[in-house]
Amino acid sequence: MPEIIIAPSILSADFRRLEEQVEAVVAGGANWIHCDVMDGHFVPNISFGPMIVAAVRKVTELPLDTHLMISRPEQYVQPFRDAGADRLIVHAEATVHLHRLVDQIKRAGMLAGVAINPATPLQAVEEILPDVDLVLIMTVNPGFGGQAFIANMLDKVRRLKRLCETRQAFPHIEVDGGIDETTAIGAVKAGANVLVAGSSIFSQSDPAQAVRRLRKAAESAAALVV
Ligand code: DX5
Ligand code: ZN
């Protein structure tokens, strides 16, 4: 049974009380904290940068899974390292030299992940599989929390899982966008083991309980995976 990792996205948190919100999901058993960085250029929205990552770093020792939805990510590796990020996830679409960027992230002392948008084919990550510790399959178009899960992405997750087996490379398979207690089941059955969830956790009055419920749903699906 694959180990399930729950990574709440603070994008949907109440930023007036960010510390309290992070502490709530930690208390609920979150494994990682997902930080969504948006620049208004690679995606149509602007969120936050290294300062907020540094603030979250002061609240928890959980790994900070930092998702860069920005253009020219190579210019921001060190600032996010300095802010305390543990993993940088970069979009294959955002750089011409993905291998060089992954190497740069690892040399800076972080784990490296690669993300692809819904319309980007898996071939974009095939050659980098042995070099990354995580592949993120976007299950919405990046830019906003609270969007509907794109069900067609389940087949992409299945194909990625098979591709990893063929290539004998075993990165985490993360899904991000529209994940709740229902969509998590299909994603885990398809082969995902890391679930990012923003609005389904932080729109609840009890985010800790929401994390527990999401884990329960995901783990019951994982028990069916051989
Ligand atoms: C989407 C971000 C996601 C987002 C997920 O652009 O990468 O991490 O916060 O939010 P929900 O879970 O609300 O779809
Ligand atoms: Zn994200």
Side-chain angles (χ1 to χ4, degrees):
M1 173 171 139
E3 187 204 351
I4 298 295
I5 291 166
I6 307 286
S9 163
I10 58 164
L11 186 66
S12 300
D14 179 349
F15 277 69
R16 289 171 302 177
R17 43 195 191 97
L18 186 56
E19 179 172 13
E20 195 185 302
Q21 297 254 282
V22 171
E23 282 169 349
V25 294
V26 172
N31 303 94
W32 302 347
I33 302 297
H34 187 82
C35 300
D36 282 310
V37 177
M38 302 179 183
D39 66 350
H41 186 264
F42 179 71
V43 290
N45 194 11
I46 301 175
S47 59
F48 54 78
M51 284 171 63
I52 294 286
V53 174
V56 176
R57 178 76 294 160
K58 294 196 177 104
V59 179
T60 179
E61 290 181 357
L62 287 186
L64 302 184
D65 189 49
T66 307
H67 179 188
L68 300 186
M69 288 161 277
I70 63 174
S71 302
R72 292 180 285 124
E74 39 290 298
Q75 296 190 3
Y76 300 94
V77 170
Q78 197 56 45
F80 282 102
R81 172 61 175 157
D82 295 343
D86 295 276
R87 176 185 298 99
L88 283 191
I89 303 168
V90 293
H91 272 260
E93 304 89 350
T95 182
V96 175
H97 300 291
L98 181 59
H99 187 278
R100 177 180 287 150
L101 176 56
V102 162
D103 198 48
Q104 187 187 346
I105 293 168
K106 292 199 287 194
R107 277 190 286 107
M110 292 175 283
L111 297 167
V114 61
I116 49 173
N117 288 334
T120 301
L122 279 178
Q123 281 89 333
V125 299
E126 183 168 358
E127 302 303 329
I128 205 77
L129 282 182
D131 302 301
V132 292
D133 99 305
L134 178 147
V135 176
L136 168 48
I137 300 293
M138 289 304 305
T139 45
V140 298
N141 287 292
F144 302 93
Q147 302 180 83
F149 181 80
I150 303 172
N152 283 347
M153 293 301 110
L154 291 177
D155 187 56
K156 196 178 193 181
V157 172
R158 257 178 240 121
R159 284 183 283 117
L160 172 61
K161 180 82 181 164
R162 279 205 299 272
L163 186 61
C164 290
E165 278 156 14
T166 308
R167 304 286 297 221
Q168 285 292 296
F170 300 100
H172 293 292
I173 298 181
E174 182 174 61
V175 283
D176 184 2
I179 298 294
D180 58 22
E181 285 173 64
T182 306
T183 54
I185 293 173
V188 168
K189 285 185 181 165
N193 73 301
V194 185
L195 303 172
V196 176
S199 51
S200 71
I201 288 177
F202 289 107
S203 68
Q204 306 292 316
S205 56
D206 185 347
Q209 185 61 12
V211 172
R212 288 186 204 105
R213 289 173 56 140
L214 182 59
R215 179 181 302 287
K216 194 162 175 246
E219 287 186 346
S220 60
L224 303 172
V225 177
V226 280

